[in-house]
Amino acid sequence: MSRLSLTRWHAPLVTPLLSATAVLGCVILAASGYHLSFLFFSLFTMLVLGVPIAISLAGACLMFVLVSGQVPDIVVAHRMINGIDSFPLLAIPFFIFAGSLMNNAGITERIFNFAKALMGWMRGGLGHVNVGASIVFSGMSGAAVADAGGLGMIEVKAMKDAGYDEEFAVGITAASSTIGPIIPPSLPMVIYGVMASTSVGQLFAAGVVPGLLMGGMLMVMIFLISRRRGYTPDARFSFGTLGRTFGQAFLSLMTPVIIVGGILTGAFTPTESAVAAVVYALLLGLVVYRTLTWRKLLKVSMETIETTAIILFIVGAASIFAWILSSNQVTQNLVALLGPFADSKIAVLMFSNIVLIIVGCFMETIAAITILVPVLLPMAIAVGVDPVHFGVIMVLNLMIGLQTPPVGMVLYVLSRVSNVSFEHCMRGTIPFLIPLVFCLLLVTFIPAISMWLPTLIYR
């Protein structure tokens, strides 16, 4: 019998066998009284079997409540409602809507053309343009996937047409897109601020310098790779071209100025800034550029509703999970596990980084934040880490996770929009993980990098 026929013979047996083993394990743990182990095992089992993250979280928590009998099952519904009953969460649909509007209104293309005129003259020019455009766009969307899906399509095509290796093009696009949730506005930081009861405005301010640092380190890596591979400049510098593209992109470039400037000056809250971004994007798309049709507007609206519903479902489900962990003193157990290192700031930060990197490889960003904040943040605060500083560390870790399998959402998006295989996308990102990890270590152990700006503005 051939190898292929053997695969076909055994494939139908794999899923039922895994399911049966998982159910048996859950029954044994529940009957033995290891309720927390039952919670984690049932969650892991559902994730492995392909159950959506929100349903896995809510289902595992409901089964835990039923098996343990600690509280009535109605508490699950109450906790889900309380988890999403937060004013800052209103920023989520508006930032998603604003990012989608800018992608569909042609704003991203204007930004890319301006960045090319500004930085295309350097060695490996389009790589630097890639990073520069992402830094500008990060002040608009607040989501890495939006950057990868919008700018990514333009950037990868332009680099491939210019003769760059497709792995290099996709790798730098994936790495630069993760700057989006670091430089404000940032959807993950909104979620962290809600879960940690921390000022979202301070979190936004704390992400500015680390985001620029990420961009600078990525550009250094681009220069080194370009010199080794012999990549040349992609455009001659011209003040005329720079002025023309700047004029075309000027109103688009004002978007991050309005959003970030409004927050930092106190003109409006982060939630209000999201509404301002939507209004400004609609003004540009419908009135100024007239590139946004009513058909596109309807499509963007439906996509925003769908994405928002998924995110809020995850937040609500994860809030139950977080409540169970905190009420069962999981943090105290982790502290006991660290033993003599529990009082060491360096040890706690290294432990948190390791946990976050591993979780980021397997779990979606928002779910990871809502689950891990109640576990890791109390440990960090106990050794003197500022919650705002820890928020930047957490988001930066999880952004690196977006570029690593098996989840790697940014890689999947880029693979789809660029017609490059997932394996090639993954290989292309490896060199650019080095500057990102180095930046993570700097931000982790030099708090002033992230805390300088919020201290200057708010304290």
Side-chain angles (χ1 to χ4, degrees), residues 144 178 181-182 188-189 191-192 352-373 376 390-404 407-410 440:
T178 58
I182 306 298
M189 285 188 181
I191 301 296
Y192 175 87
S352 299
N353 278 332
I354 293 170
V355 171
L356 287 165
I357 285 286
I358 294 173
V359 170
C361 293
F362 294 92
M363 190 172 290
E364 194 270 337
T365 301
I366 292 174
I369 290 173
T370 51
I371 290 172
L372 292 177
V373 165
L376 298 178
F390 191 76
V392 177
I393 295 172
M394 176 171 279
V395 174
L396 184 47
N397 268 291
L398 296 175
M399 289 306 100
I400 294 174
L402 285 177
Q403 304 173 66
T404 54
V407 177
M409 282 301 299
V410 165
L440 170 63

Side-chain angles (χ1 to χ4, degrees), residues 339-352:
F341 301 103
D343 295 328
S344 169
K345 187 174 182 178
I346 293 177
V348 169
L349 287 174
M350 285 302 298
F351 174 76
S352 299

Side-chain angles (χ1 to χ4, degrees), residues 144-165:
V145 174
D147 190 328
L151 270 174
M153 185 184 305
I154 301 171
E155 292 166 339
V156 173
K157 182 180 184 303
M159 293 185 72
K160 288 168 66 176
D161 290 345
Y164 288 87
D165 180 76

